[in-house]
Amino acid sequence: QYQFVESGGGLVQPGGSLRLSCLASGFTLASYRVGWFRQVPGKEHEAVSCISDSDSSDGSTYYADAVKGRFTISRDNTKNTVYLQMNSLNPEDTAVYYCAARGGSYYSTTPSEYDYWGQGTQVTVSS
């Protein structure tokens, strides 16, 4: 059955960088739209970045205003892995980050539209 295993989180100083990864098993990531979401205590999931599937869509992407110019979503279909490169991190980026996938075409920023979810990885930005 499916698995979506996250890695790459941790503690980083302000201005630093991290690269999150989600490795998919049990489904072919190229045929799925993928989203990165984050959650802080007391708040709902926030869409950070999303990308459309590679097989039937144009691979279009979405970035939340708070992360534009700093974060980059990408995928390596040969490795069945999606990445979130995070640069110029600040304390406001501290959250639990989740990868999610949904069969289909163009991206969605709505968490309920995603079927497969990673376990979450903590990102803490602090001096």
Side-chain angles (χ1 to χ4, degrees), residues 22-84:
C22 273
L23 174 62
S25 300
F27 63 100
T28 301
L29 194 59
S31 300
Y32 283 72
R33 46 185 163 166
V34 178
W36 285 97
F37 298 83
R38 65 186 182 187
Q39 186 179 40
V40 299
K43 302 290 288 186
E44 63 186 14
H45 287 78
E46 174 192 15
V48 176
S49 183
C50 307
I51 188 168
S52 301
D53 75 274
S54 299
D55 290 335
S56 62
S57 74
D58 60 1
S60 58
T61 58
Y62 162 86
Y63 294 96
D65 288 342
V67 307
K68 285 181 179 178
R70 300 189 296 119
F71 290 11
T72 303
I73 189 170
S74 63
R75 64 202 306 163
D76 186 337
N77 291 330
T78 64
K79 297 180 179 179
N80 223 29
T81 300
V82 63
Y83 305 96
L84 184 67

Side-chain angles (χ1 to χ4, degrees), residues 104-116:
S105 56
Y106 290 96
Y107 67 79
S108 170
T109 61
T110 304
S112 63
E113 295 185 6
Y114 287 84
D115 295 324
Y116 304 153

